[in-house]
């Protein structure tokens, strides 16, 4: 959820014709050639394309904006227009920020900050420092956020209400990320006063109320939080700020669900999904992202190709560099071979994971068959059991009751010897049977206590049987089942190809991208997006 309006980069520049006019007389023929090429490229001029992209961005049509920013970036590079390149890259980072892809947003913001620092453009440096402070907070990294906030406050900036607003807002954001909710609320209230006195507009007023609602929500003051969220929603809706509506709708939905008002929560959830699909149309956005990916690949290929041509030219002109050129070729071949091995290893990782999932399905099926056979044998043997055994069983009902923890209302006191091997085996089968139900483990509130209740036991025995059998705690074991299902969905493009990674992890009970990525990386050894990419490439290679 992105709380603040990311700065949009705007600029003006003089036309390049002024420089060309000075060369008319001595370079007449060259000018005619360049003029013809400029006329051919005029419809795709980087600055014009960026202006169109800015309009789409301001209208919150982010897929169209991203596509045009990519085209503008390529045209600006052809024109050697560094300033337009810088602003296009910055706005691409803005789009990723609105999509909640903070890793990619941080990548582009840092790239633009480095370029602005090289150009000594303090205005752009300030905007990027503000953005990076916010992105680091959203990633849960207050330490790096404080470093960028220090950069923000040390840079010279105009004495405007907007700049003072971002100083207070970012200070509040850092305090909230660190868990200091009292100071965070105070700074945000000061920022709201500045919005009202500085006449910054409804967008910033809506953002301030939303941020105060989020702080109150974290303090578990749900009624006040909902009040602030609704105020933010009303302002955003009146201002036709779709992005603001999307963000606060999600907050209201979570807040109502927290207090148990499912009906109202479903209303705002539906509204959130409708708005999110209209702004971030998945098919359009995927096409725009593919266009950007293709552009970056072309840039890499062009760089490699340029180096190769340069090396060939130097080899022909200067014979002394033949040996050096040979070394370059050898290194290139080694790199290519290494890349090939790496891609092969990636495909093997995906294939191995899918094989393990199939084996797990087979094991589950065999276990069910085994349990069914055991139940049948018990049913057949029951009538012939001695009456003395029945009498003994009825005389000691509480002994088994305490061992298995059947009474969900009272936690039984563990016996001195704990569970028998048979009891532990039966309890483990029940635990695995529950964890194999995706609809159960996908609940955000699913816990060890809930699992213990579902298997008619208590948390101590359930935790003990998991730890003794698999050598891991409940949370780790639960994550393995969830991540296994995530892998299945990431590789199943036929049924889940239109779903985003965010939609997948939210359906599997993860509240944040960071917790999902951390669990996925710990179990699989890579990120979800990289795994999805490898799975797709593997299926294309098989086809």
């Amino acid at each position: 959820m992105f709380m603040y309006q990311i700065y949009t980069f705007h600029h003006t520049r003089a036309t390049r014709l002024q420089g060309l006019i000075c060369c008319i007389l001595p370079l007449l023929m060259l000018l005619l050639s360049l003029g013809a090429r400029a006329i051919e490229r005029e419809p795709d001029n980087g600055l014009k394309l960026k202006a169109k992209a800015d309009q789409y961005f301001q209208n919150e049509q982010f897929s169209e904006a991203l596509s045009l920013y990519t085209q503008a970036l390529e045209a600006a590079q052809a024109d050697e227009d560094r300033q337009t390149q810088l602003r296009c890259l910055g706005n691409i980072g803005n789009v990723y920020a609105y999509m909640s892809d903070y890793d990619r947003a941080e990548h582009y913001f840092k790239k633009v900050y480095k370029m602005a620092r090289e150009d000594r453009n303090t205005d752009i440096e300030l905007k990027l420092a503000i953005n990076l402070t916010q992105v680091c907070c959203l990633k849960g990294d207050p330490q790096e956020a404080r470093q960028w906030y220090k950069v923000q406050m040390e840079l010279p900036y105009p004495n405007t209400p907007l700049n003072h607003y971002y100083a207070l807002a970012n200070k509040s954001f850092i305090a909230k990320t660190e868990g200091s909710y009292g100071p965070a609320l105070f700074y945000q209230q000061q920022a709201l006063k500045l919005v009202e006195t500085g006449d910054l507009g409804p967008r910033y007023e809506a953002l301030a109320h939303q941020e105060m609602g989020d702080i109150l929500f974290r303090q578990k003051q749900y009624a006040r939080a909902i009040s602030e969220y609704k105020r933010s929603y009303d302002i955003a809706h009146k201002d036709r700020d779709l992005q603001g509506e999307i963000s606060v709708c999600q907050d209201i939905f979570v807040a109502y669900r927290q207090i148990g008002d499912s009906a109202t929560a479903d209303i705002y959830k539906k509204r959130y999904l409708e708005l999110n699909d209209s702004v971030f149309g998945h098919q359009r956005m995927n096409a725009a992202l593919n266009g950007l990916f293709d552009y970056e690949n072309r840039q890499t290929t062009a760089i490699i190709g340029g180096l190769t041509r340069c090396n060939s030219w130097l080899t022909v002109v200067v014979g002394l560099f033949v040996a050096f050129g040979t070394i370059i070729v050898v290194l290139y071949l080694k790199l290519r071979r290494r890349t090939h091995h790496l891609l092969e290893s990636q495909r093997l990782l995906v294939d191995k994971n899918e094989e393990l999932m199939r084996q797990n399905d087979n094991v589950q099926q065999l276990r069910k068959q085994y349990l069914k056979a055991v139940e049948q044998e018990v049913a057949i043997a029951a009538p012939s059991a001695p009456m003395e055994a029945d009498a003994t069983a009825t005389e000691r009902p509480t002994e088994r009751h305490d061992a298995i923890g059947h009474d969900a209302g009272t936690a039984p006191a563990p016996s001195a010897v704990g569970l028998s091997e048979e009891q532990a085996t039966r309890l483990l089968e029940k635990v695995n049977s529950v964890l194999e139900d995706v609809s159960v483990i996908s609940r955000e509130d699913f816990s060890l206590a809930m699992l213990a209740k579902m298997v008619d036991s208590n948390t101590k025995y359930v935790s003990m049987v998991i730890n003794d059998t698999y050598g891991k705690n409940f949370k780790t074991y639960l994550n393995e089942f969830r991540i296994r299902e995530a892998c299945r969905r990431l590789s199943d493009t036929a049924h889940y190809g239109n779903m985003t990674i965010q939609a997948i992890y939210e359906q599997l009970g993860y509240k944040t991208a960071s917790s999902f990525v951390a669990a996925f990386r710990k179990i699989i050894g890579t990120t979800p997006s990289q795994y999805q990419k490898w799975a797709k490439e593997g299926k294309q290679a098989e086809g």
Side-chain angles (χ1 to χ4, degrees), residues 406-427:
H406 183 70
D407 188 358
T410 304
S415 62
V417 296
L419 295 175
S420 68
E421 182 177 356
E422 179 183 359
Q423 290 171 337
T425 301
R426 290 182 180 178
L427 179 56

Side-chain angles (χ1 to χ4, degrees), residues 517-543:
V517 172
F520 197 99
R521 186 187 292 274
K522 181 179 179 181
I523 295 171
I524 303 301
T526 185
T527 62
S529 57
Q530 189 64 50
Y531 180 90
Q532 187 181 48
K533 177 184 174 184
W534 294 345
K536 183 178 179 181
E537 290 175 350
K539 291 185 177 180
Q540 289 177 349
E542 291 175 0

Side-chain angles (χ1 to χ4, degrees), residues 350-410:
V350 175
D351 293 340
K352 185 64 176 178
N353 189 62
E354 292 180 350
E355 181 183 351
L356 290 174
M357 287 191 292
R358 288 193 296 269
Q359 291 178 357
N360 181 71
D361 292 339
N362 293 334
V363 170
Q364 293 176 13
Q365 187 64 28
L366 290 173
R367 184 164 60 246
K368 291 178 181 178
Q369 293 175 0
Y370 169 77
L371 290 175
K372 185 176 180 181
V374 171
E375 290 173 359
Q376 290 175 352
E377 290 179 5
V378 171
I380 294 172
S384 60
M387 293 300 294
E388 290 80 4
D390 293 339
T392 303
T394 57
E395 289 173 0
R396 296 184 298 174
T398 58
E399 180 179 346
R400 173 175 173 81
H401 177 83
D402 290 341
I404 302 299
H406 183 70
D407 188 358
T410 304

Side-chain angles (χ1 to χ4, degrees), residues 147-406:
Q147 296 176 0
W148 285 109
Y149 183 76
K150 182 179 179 182
V151 174
Q152 172 187 344
M153 301 307 295
E154 289 176 351
L155 285 168
Y157 60 87
N159 186 20
T160 63
L162 182 61
N163 286 328
H164 289 298
Y165 164 81
Y166 273 108
L168 287 168
N170 279 4
K171 197 171 184 179
S172 171
F173 214 2
I174 293 172
K176 182 188 72 172
T177 307
E178 293 175 335
S180 302
Y181 301 127
L185 186 60
F186 171 78
Y187 294 136
Q188 197 58 48
Q189 290 170 342
Q190 297 299 312
L192 179 59
K193 290 180 181 179
L194 189 60
V195 170
E196 295 170 349
T197 58
D199 195 23
L200 296 182
R203 169 166 290 186
Y204 293 95
E205 183 180 2
L207 290 169
H209 283 293
Q210 184 185 5
E211 178 62 8
M212 286 193 295
D214 190 52
I215 296 170
L216 292 168
F217 181 86
R218 296 187 181 206
Q219 291 179 313
K220 298 184 179 180
Q221 300 184 40
Y222 301 124
R224 292 181 62 192
I226 291 174
S227 176
E228 292 294 336
Y229 285 151
K230 285 189 172 181
R231 192 169 182 181
S232 174
Y233 176 83
D234 291 339
I235 295 171
H237 182 72
K238 184 177 179 181
D239 192 44
R240 296 182 179 181
D241 179 7
L242 295 180
Q243 177 57 29
E245 283 189 65
I246 292 172
S247 180
V248 78
C249 269
Q250 187 177 24
D251 290 337
I252 297 174
F253 153 67
V254 173
Y256 272 115
R257 186 178 59 183
Q258 182 66 35
I259 64 175
D261 189 347
S262 300
T264 307
D266 289 341
I267 292 173
Y268 283 97
K269 181 179 181 180
K270 181 179 179 182
R271 178 62 177 164
Y272 163 74
L273 293 174
E274 291 173 350
L275 290 172
N276 192 66
D277 185 66
S278 66
V279 173
F280 300 103
H282 297 311
Q283 292 184 351
R284 300 193 308 274
M285 183 56 70
N286 286 338
L289 291 172
N290 287 336
L292 178 60
F293 181 76
D294 290 339
Y295 164 75
E296 292 176 343
N297 281 343
R298 289 195 301 271
Q299 291 299 110
T300 303
T301 302
I303 292 172
I304 295 175
L307 291 174
T308 303
R309 289 191 297 271
C310 182
N311 288 336
S312 300
W313 180 81
L314 289 174
T315 301
V316 173
V317 176
V318 185
L320 295 176
F321 289 101
V322 172
F324 177 77
T326 303
I327 295 173
I328 293 295
V329 172
V330 171
L331 291 176
Y332 172 76
L333 292 175
K334 287 184 177 180
L335 178 61
R336 186 174 181 180
R337 187 181 300 110
R338 184 177 180 182
T339 302
H340 175 75
H341 292 327
L342 178 60
L343 292 175
E344 186 64 27
S345 299
Q346 294 168 356
R347 285 194 290 268
L348 289 174
L349 173 63
V350 175
D351 293 340
K352 185 64 176 178
N353 189 62
E354 292 180 350
E355 181 183 351
L356 290 174
M357 287 191 292
R358 288 193 296 269
Q359 291 178 357
N360 181 71
D361 292 339
N362 293 334
V363 170
Q364 293 176 13
Q365 187 64 28
L366 290 173
R367 184 164 60 246
K368 291 178 181 178
Q369 293 175 0
Y370 169 77
L371 290 175
K372 185 176 180 181
V374 171
E375 290 173 359
Q376 290 175 352
E377 290 179 5
V378 171
I380 294 172
S384 60
M387 293 300 294
E388 290 80 4
D390 293 339
T392 303
T394 57
E395 289 173 0
R396 296 184 298 174
T398 58
E399 180 179 346
R400 173 175 173 81
H401 177 83
D402 290 341
I404 302 299
H406 183 70

